[in-house]
Amino acid sequence: MNHVIEKAKECKCKRVWLITTNDNTRAIRYYQKRGFNLCNIYLNSVNEARKIKPQIPLHGYDNIPILHEIEFEMLL
């Protein structure tokens, strides 16, 4: 992660961002501990994604329903 952030700074990017799903609580903790801020929640967006990629499971980690996408960003 640090390498990506450094490369983004070298390229004069203004931010680094990523999206994970609501069931991925480990990733949510990981990014917050590293200074990323939650900037958007896309409610029920995974239902739309399943229309394109139907193999996305209905339940994820800890049997949590996969429904929403959560966007994190770090301003550089």
Side-chain angles (χ1 to χ4, degrees):
M1 182 59 58
N2 291 335
H3 181 73
V4 170
I5 293 167
E6 289 308 313
K7 277 298 204 185
K9 287 178 181 178
E10 288 174 16
C11 293
K12 307 224 186 299
C13 294
K14 296 182 192 253
R15 75 179 191 135
V16 175
W17 63 273
L18 60 99
I19 294 178
T20 191
T21 51
N22 63 284
D23 69 306
N24 199 347
T25 56
R26 290 180 182 148
I28 292 167
R29 275 194 310 271
Y30 177 88
Y31 295 120
Q32 288 184 77
K33 285 181 178 183
R34 281 150 185 84
F36 283 79
N37 292 305
L38 191 153
C39 60
N40 281 301
I41 298 176
Y42 303 99
L43 298 176
N44 299 308
S45 60
V46 179
N47 293 330
E48 291 299 311
R50 283 192 186 97
K51 293 176 183 176
I52 299 165
K53 191 174 178 182
Q55 63 269 37
I56 298 171
L58 295 175
H59 293 84
Y61 297 108
D62 299 316
N63 206 32
I64 296 171
I66 303 172
L67 300 170
H68 317 297
E69 293 177 317
I70 301 172
E71 182 178 352
F72 288 91
E73 73 176 357
M74 177 184 285
L75 301 177
L76 304 176

